[in-house]
mmCIF file of all heavy atoms in Angstrom:
data_model
loop_
_atom_site.group_PDB
_atom_site.id
_atom_site.type_symbol
_atom_site.label_atom_id
_atom_site.label_comp_id
_atom_site.label_asym_id
_atom_site.label_seq_id
_atom_site.Cartn_x
_atom_site.Cartn_y
_atom_site.Cartn_z
ATOM 1 N N SER A 67 1.109 11.941 -17.215
ATOM 2 C CA SER A 67 -0.254 11.453 -17.120
ATOM 3 C C SER A 67 -0.954 11.920 -15.860
ATOM 4 O O SER A 67 -0.347 12.090 -14.839
ATOM 5 C CB SER A 67 -0.259 9.904 -17.171
ATOM 6 O OG SER A 67 0.569 9.382 -16.132
ATOM 7 N N TYR A 68 -2.226 12.237 -16.025
ATOM 8 C CA TYR A 68 -3.077 12.613 -14.904
ATOM 9 C C TYR A 68 -2.481 13.784 -14.089
ATOM 10 O O TYR A 68 -2.297 13.656 -12.872
ATOM 11 C CB TYR A 68 -3.398 11.439 -13.975
ATOM 12 C CG TYR A 68 -4.131 10.288 -14.696
ATOM 13 C CD1 TYR A 68 -3.385 9.264 -15.269
ATOM 14 C CD2 TYR A 68 -5.495 10.356 -14.828
ATOM 15 C CE1 TYR A 68 -4.029 8.238 -15.922
ATOM 16 C CE2 TYR A 68 -6.180 9.326 -15.500
ATOM 17 C CZ TYR A 68 -5.427 8.258 -16.026
ATOM 18 O OH TYR A 68 -6.080 7.242 -16.670
ATOM 19 N N PRO A 69 -2.215 14.930 -14.698
ATOM 20 C CA PRO A 69 -1.557 16.005 -13.984
ATOM 21 C C PRO A 69 -2.339 16.519 -12.769
ATOM 22 O O PRO A 69 -1.750 16.867 -11.736
ATOM 23 C CB PRO A 69 -1.379 17.076 -15.049
ATOM 24 C CG PRO A 69 -2.324 16.767 -16.126
ATOM 25 C CD PRO A 69 -2.507 15.259 -16.062
ATOM 26 N N GLU A 70 -3.680 16.620 -12.897
ATOM 27 C CA GLU A 70 -4.459 17.133 -11.764
ATOM 28 C C GLU A 70 -4.417 16.145 -10.579
ATOM 29 O O GLU A 70 -4.338 16.588 -9.423
ATOM 30 C CB GLU A 70 -5.907 17.416 -12.177
ATOM 31 C CG GLU A 70 -6.035 18.640 -13.118
ATOM 32 C CD GLU A 70 -5.488 19.934 -12.442
ATOM 33 O OE1 GLU A 70 -5.792 20.147 -11.270
ATOM 34 O OE2 GLU A 70 -4.737 20.623 -13.101
ATOM 35 N N LEU A 71 -4.570 14.894 -10.867
ATOM 36 C CA LEU A 71 -4.511 13.868 -9.812
ATOM 37 C C LEU A 71 -3.152 13.847 -9.143
ATOM 38 O O LEU A 71 -3.018 13.806 -7.966
ATOM 39 C CB LEU A 71 -4.872 12.464 -10.325
ATOM 40 C CG LEU A 71 -4.788 11.328 -9.351
ATOM 41 C CD1 LEU A 71 -5.745 11.594 -8.160
ATOM 42 C CD2 LEU A 71 -5.159 10.028 -10.037
ATOM 43 N N ARG A 72 -2.115 13.934 -9.986
ATOM 44 C CA ARG A 72 -0.723 13.975 -9.450
ATOM 45 C C ARG A 72 -0.565 15.165 -8.515
ATOM 46 O O ARG A 72 -0.008 15.030 -7.404
ATOM 47 C CB ARG A 72 0.257 14.066 -10.623
ATOM 48 C CG ARG A 72 1.733 14.167 -10.131
ATOM 49 C CD ARG A 72 2.662 14.338 -11.311
ATOM 50 N NE ARG A 72 2.671 13.210 -12.126
ATOM 51 C CZ ARG A 72 3.522 12.138 -11.959
ATOM 52 N NH1 ARG A 72 4.453 12.124 -10.980
ATOM 53 N NH2 ARG A 72 3.491 11.099 -12.753
ATOM 54 N N LYS A 73 -1.059 16.340 -8.900
ATOM 55 C CA LYS A 73 -0.965 17.543 -8.089
ATOM 56 C C LYS A 73 -1.682 17.324 -6.739
ATOM 57 O O LYS A 73 -1.171 17.654 -5.689
ATOM 58 C CB LYS A 73 -1.541 18.721 -8.861
ATOM 59 C CG LYS A 73 -1.509 20.086 -8.111
ATOM 60 C CD LYS A 73 -2.090 21.169 -8.975
ATOM 61 C CE LYS A 73 -2.065 22.528 -8.332
ATOM 62 N NZ LYS A 73 -2.999 22.696 -7.231
ATOM 63 N N GLN A 74 -2.909 16.747 -6.778
ATOM 64 C CA GLN A 74 -3.662 16.550 -5.589
ATOM 65 C C GLN A 74 -2.929 15.551 -4.670
ATOM 66 O O GLN A 74 -2.863 15.779 -3.429
ATOM 67 C CB GLN A 74 -5.024 15.959 -5.967
ATOM 68 C CG GLN A 74 -5.903 15.598 -4.800
ATOM 69 C CD GLN A 74 -7.187 14.919 -5.255
ATOM 70 O OE1 GLN A 74 -7.454 14.725 -6.436
ATOM 71 N NE2 GLN A 74 -7.971 14.492 -4.265
ATOM 72 N N LEU A 75 -2.388 14.510 -5.200
ATOM 73 C CA LEU A 75 -1.652 13.526 -4.390
ATOM 74 C C LEU A 75 -0.420 14.125 -3.786
ATOM 75 O O LEU A 75 -0.110 13.875 -2.598
ATOM 76 C CB LEU A 75 -1.325 12.313 -5.241
ATOM 77 C CG LEU A 75 -2.488 11.443 -5.638
ATOM 78 C CD1 LEU A 75 -2.068 10.441 -6.710
ATOM 79 C CD2 LEU A 75 -3.128 10.779 -4.444
ATOM 80 N N LEU A 76 0.331 14.961 -4.576
ATOM 81 C CA LEU A 76 1.540 15.569 -4.038
ATOM 82 C C LEU A 76 1.221 16.488 -2.886
ATOM 83 O O LEU A 76 1.956 16.589 -1.910
ATOM 84 C CB LEU A 76 2.265 16.283 -5.151
ATOM 85 C CG LEU A 76 2.964 15.387 -6.191
ATOM 86 C CD1 LEU A 76 3.500 16.230 -7.337
ATOM 87 C CD2 LEU A 76 4.034 14.570 -5.564
ATOM 88 N N GLU A 77 0.111 17.192 -2.994
ATOM 89 C CA GLU A 77 -0.320 18.125 -1.937
ATOM 90 C C GLU A 77 -0.723 17.391 -0.639
ATOM 91 O O GLU A 77 -0.642 17.957 0.403
ATOM 92 C CB GLU A 77 -1.486 19.016 -2.424
ATOM 93 C CG GLU A 77 -1.046 20.040 -3.464
ATOM 94 C CD GLU A 77 -2.185 20.804 -4.083
ATOM 95 O OE1 GLU A 77 -3.401 20.418 -3.835
ATOM 96 O OE2 GLU A 77 -1.897 21.702 -4.885
ATOM 97 N N SER A 78 -1.161 16.141 -0.803
ATOM 98 C CA SER A 78 -1.592 15.381 0.371
ATOM 99 C C SER A 78 -0.438 14.625 1.061
ATOM 100 O O SER A 78 -0.630 14.048 2.157
ATOM 101 C CB SER A 78 -2.666 14.362 -0.008
ATOM 102 O OG SER A 78 -2.148 13.292 -0.707
ATOM 103 N N CYS A 79 0.758 14.676 0.465
ATOM 104 C CA CYS A 79 1.873 13.945 1.005
ATOM 105 C C CYS A 79 2.919 14.844 1.587
ATOM 106 O O CYS A 79 3.524 15.672 0.887
ATOM 107 C CB CYS A 79 2.507 13.066 -0.106
ATOM 108 S SG CYS A 79 3.846 12.049 0.495
ATOM 109 N N PRO A 80 3.190 14.732 2.898
ATOM 110 C CA PRO A 80 4.202 15.569 3.507
ATOM 111 C C PRO A 80 5.613 15.469 2.881
ATOM 112 O O PRO A 80 6.358 16.398 2.974
ATOM 113 C CB PRO A 80 4.250 15.103 4.972
ATOM 114 C CG PRO A 80 2.921 14.478 5.226
ATOM 115 C CD PRO A 80 2.532 13.866 3.895
ATOM 116 N N MET A 81 5.881 14.354 2.266
ATOM 117 C CA MET A 81 7.207 14.160 1.628
ATOM 118 C C MET A 81 7.242 14.783 0.236
ATOM 119 O O MET A 81 8.281 14.796 -0.453
ATOM 120 C CB MET A 81 7.591 12.688 1.606
ATOM 121 C CG MET A 81 7.743 12.134 3.018
ATOM 122 S SD MET A 81 8.341 10.418 3.035
ATOM 123 C CE MET A 81 10.102 10.690 2.713
ATOM 124 N N GLU A 82 6.071 15.287 -0.202
ATOM 125 C CA GLU A 82 5.974 16.011 -1.483
ATOM 126 C C GLU A 82 6.416 15.255 -2.705
ATOM 127 O O GLU A 82 7.086 15.796 -3.612
ATOM 128 C CB GLU A 82 6.675 17.396 -1.371
ATOM 129 C CG GLU A 82 6.069 18.246 -0.279
ATOM 130 C CD GLU A 82 6.803 19.585 -0.169
ATOM 131 O OE1 GLU A 82 7.954 19.746 -0.597
ATOM 132 O OE2 GLU A 82 6.147 20.483 0.367
ATOM 133 N N ARG A 83 6.178 13.900 -2.718
ATOM 134 C CA ARG A 83 6.473 13.098 -3.858
ATOM 135 C C ARG A 83 5.584 11.882 -3.838
ATOM 136 O O ARG A 83 5.007 11.514 -2.816
ATOM 137 C CB ARG A 83 7.927 12.674 -3.866
ATOM 138 C CG ARG A 83 8.355 11.697 -2.739
ATOM 139 C CD ARG A 83 9.783 11.287 -2.917
ATOM 140 N NE ARG A 83 10.258 10.347 -1.923
ATOM 141 C CZ ARG A 83 10.141 9.017 -1.950
ATOM 142 N NH1 ARG A 83 9.547 8.479 -2.973
ATOM 143 N NH2 ARG A 83 10.626 8.239 -1.018
ATOM 144 N N LEU A 84 5.482 11.245 -4.989
ATOM 145 C CA LEU A 84 4.821 9.961 -5.077
ATOM 146 C C LEU A 84 5.791 8.889 -4.663
ATOM 147 O O LEU A 84 7.012 9.097 -4.564
ATOM 148 C CB LEU A 84 4.345 9.681 -6.491
ATOM 149 C CG LEU A 84 3.365 10.706 -7.092
ATOM 150 C CD1 LEU A 84 2.919 10.256 -8.496
ATOM 151 C CD2 LEU A 84 2.147 10.914 -6.197
ATOM 152 N N ALA A 85 5.288 7.680 -4.369
ATOM 153 C CA ALA A 85 6.133 6.582 -4.039
ATOM 154 C C ALA A 85 6.914 6.146 -5.265
ATOM 155 O O ALA A 85 6.507 6.460 -6.402
ATOM 156 C CB ALA A 85 5.321 5.388 -3.546
ATOM 157 N N GLU A 86 8.047 5.555 -5.070
ATOM 158 C CA GLU A 86 8.833 4.970 -6.168
ATOM 159 C C GLU A 86 8.699 3.439 -5.987
ATOM 160 O O GLU A 86 8.420 2.947 -4.900
ATOM 161 C CB GLU A 86 10.323 5.357 -6.069
ATOM 162 C CG GLU A 86 10.595 6.813 -6.272
ATOM 163 C CD GLU A 86 10.359 7.277 -7.722
ATOM 164 O OE1 GLU A 86 10.332 6.448 -8.616
ATOM 165 O OE2 GLU A 86 10.225 8.502 -7.898
ATOM 166 N N VAL A 87 8.896 2.708 -7.069
ATOM 167 C CA VAL A 87 8.840 1.272 -7.026
ATOM 168 C C VAL A 87 9.705 0.749 -5.932
ATOM 169 O O VAL A 87 9.368 -0.186 -5.174
ATOM 170 C CB VAL A 87 9.155 0.642 -8.391
ATOM 171 C CG1 VAL A 87 9.277 -0.848 -8.320
ATOM 172 C CG2 VAL A 87 8.151 1.065 -9.436
ATOM 173 N N GLU A 88 10.900 1.313 -5.753
ATOM 174 C CA GLU A 88 11.857 0.841 -4.731
ATOM 175 C C GLU A 88 11.278 0.997 -3.339
ATOM 176 O O GLU A 88 11.613 0.203 -2.446
ATOM 177 C CB GLU A 88 13.184 1.611 -4.884
ATOM 178 C CG GLU A 88 13.921 1.306 -6.179
ATOM 179 C CD GLU A 88 13.436 2.071 -7.360
ATOM 180 O OE1 GLU A 88 12.641 3.009 -7.237
ATOM 181 O OE2 GLU A 88 13.854 1.703 -8.493
ATOM 182 N N ASP A 89 10.484 2.062 -3.105
ATOM 183 C CA ASP A 89 9.897 2.253 -1.763
ATOM 184 C C ASP A 89 9.039 1.040 -1.388
ATOM 185 O O ASP A 89 9.097 0.564 -0.254
ATOM 186 C CB ASP A 89 9.035 3.512 -1.724
ATOM 187 C CG ASP A 89 9.840 4.774 -1.949
ATOM 188 O OD1 ASP A 89 10.958 4.884 -1.456
ATOM 189 O OD2 ASP A 89 9.323 5.681 -2.648
ATOM 190 N N VAL A 90 8.260 0.568 -2.330
ATOM 191 C CA VAL A 90 7.397 -0.567 -2.074
ATOM 192 C C VAL A 90 8.191 -1.876 -2.029
ATOM 193 O O VAL A 90 8.014 -2.709 -1.165
ATOM 194 C CB VAL A 90 6.302 -0.667 -3.166
ATOM 195 C CG1 VAL A 90 5.392 -1.845 -2.926
ATOM 196 C CG2 VAL A 90 5.487 0.651 -3.216
ATOM 197 N N ALA A 91 9.164 -2.014 -2.910
ATOM 198 C CA ALA A 91 10.017 -3.164 -2.896
ATOM 199 C C ALA A 91 10.776 -3.337 -1.604
ATOM 200 O O ALA A 91 10.992 -4.453 -1.098
ATOM 201 C CB ALA A 91 11.004 -3.134 -4.113
ATOM 202 N N ASN A 92 11.237 -2.237 -1.050
ATOM 203 C CA ASN A 92 11.974 -2.288 0.235
ATOM 204 C C ASN A 92 11.134 -2.879 1.334
ATOM 205 O O ASN A 92 11.626 -3.620 2.171
ATOM 206 C CB ASN A 92 12.499 -0.901 0.585
ATOM 207 C CG ASN A 92 13.620 -0.429 -0.273
ATOM 208 O OD1 ASN A 92 14.291 -1.227 -0.946
ATOM 209 N ND2 ASN A 92 13.842 0.878 -0.255
ATOM 210 N N VAL A 93 9.860 -2.512 1.338
ATOM 211 C CA VAL A 93 8.957 -3.030 2.378
ATOM 212 C C VAL A 93 8.731 -4.552 2.129
ATOM 213 O O VAL A 93 8.684 -5.325 3.055
ATOM 214 C CB VAL A 93 7.622 -2.250 2.406
ATOM 215 C CG1 VAL A 93 6.623 -2.916 3.351
ATOM 216 C CG2 VAL A 93 7.902 -0.853 2.796
ATOM 217 N N ALA A 94 8.553 -4.934 0.871
ATOM 218 C CA ALA A 94 8.388 -6.380 0.514
ATOM 219 C C ALA A 94 9.615 -7.116 0.978
ATOM 220 O O ALA A 94 9.467 -8.245 1.535
ATOM 221 C CB ALA A 94 8.147 -6.524 -0.945
ATOM 222 N N GLU A 95 10.795 -6.550 0.748
ATOM 223 C CA GLU A 95 12.026 -7.226 1.204
ATOM 224 C C GLU A 95 12.076 -7.346 2.733
ATOM 225 O O GLU A 95 12.467 -8.416 3.257
ATOM 226 C CB GLU A 95 13.240 -6.454 0.713
ATOM 227 C CG GLU A 95 14.546 -7.113 1.008
ATOM 228 C CD GLU A 95 15.762 -6.366 0.474
ATOM 229 O OE1 GLU A 95 15.591 -5.337 -0.195
ATOM 230 O OE2 GLU A 95 16.882 -6.837 0.741
ATOM 231 N N PHE A 96 11.644 -6.349 3.390
ATOM 232 C CA PHE A 96 11.571 -6.366 4.896
ATOM 233 C C PHE A 96 10.656 -7.471 5.334
ATOM 234 O O PHE A 96 11.024 -8.285 6.202
ATOM 235 C CB PHE A 96 11.114 -5.045 5.455
ATOM 236 C CG PHE A 96 10.679 -5.077 6.910
ATOM 237 C CD1 PHE A 96 11.666 -5.163 7.896
ATOM 238 C CD2 PHE A 96 9.384 -4.952 7.252
ATOM 239 C CE1 PHE A 96 11.304 -5.207 9.215
ATOM 240 C CE2 PHE A 96 9.012 -5.012 8.598
ATOM 241 C CZ PHE A 96 9.986 -5.143 9.599
ATOM 242 N N PHE A 97 9.441 -7.549 4.750
ATOM 243 C CA PHE A 97 8.482 -8.613 5.166
ATOM 244 C C PHE A 97 8.985 -9.998 4.813
ATOM 245 O O PHE A 97 8.649 -10.994 5.480
ATOM 246 C CB PHE A 97 7.116 -8.379 4.501
ATOM 247 C CG PHE A 97 6.301 -7.337 5.210
ATOM 248 C CD1 PHE A 97 5.402 -6.559 4.474
ATOM 249 C CD2 PHE A 97 6.279 -7.223 6.572
ATOM 250 C CE1 PHE A 97 4.597 -5.596 5.080
ATOM 251 C CE2 PHE A 97 5.456 -6.297 7.208
ATOM 252 C CZ PHE A 97 4.625 -5.473 6.485
ATOM 253 N N ALA A 98 9.818 -10.113 3.821
ATOM 254 C CA ALA A 98 10.350 -11.400 3.386
ATOM 255 C C ALA A 98 11.551 -11.826 4.232
ATOM 256 O O ALA A 98 12.014 -12.958 4.133
ATOM 257 C CB ALA A 98 10.676 -11.410 1.887
#
Side-chain angles (χ1 to χ4, degrees):
S67 57
Y68 300 93
E70 289 300 315
L71 178 58
R72 178 184 294 272
K73 180 179 182 287
Q74 178 186 357
L75 291 168
L76 290 172
E77 289 171 355
S78 75
C79 183
M81 296 185 78
E82 299 179 338
R83 67 176 181 87
L84 300 183
E86 295 290 342
V87 172
E88 293 81 11
D89 296 321
V90 180
N92 289 340
V93 173
E95 184 177 359
F96 167 72
F97 279 146

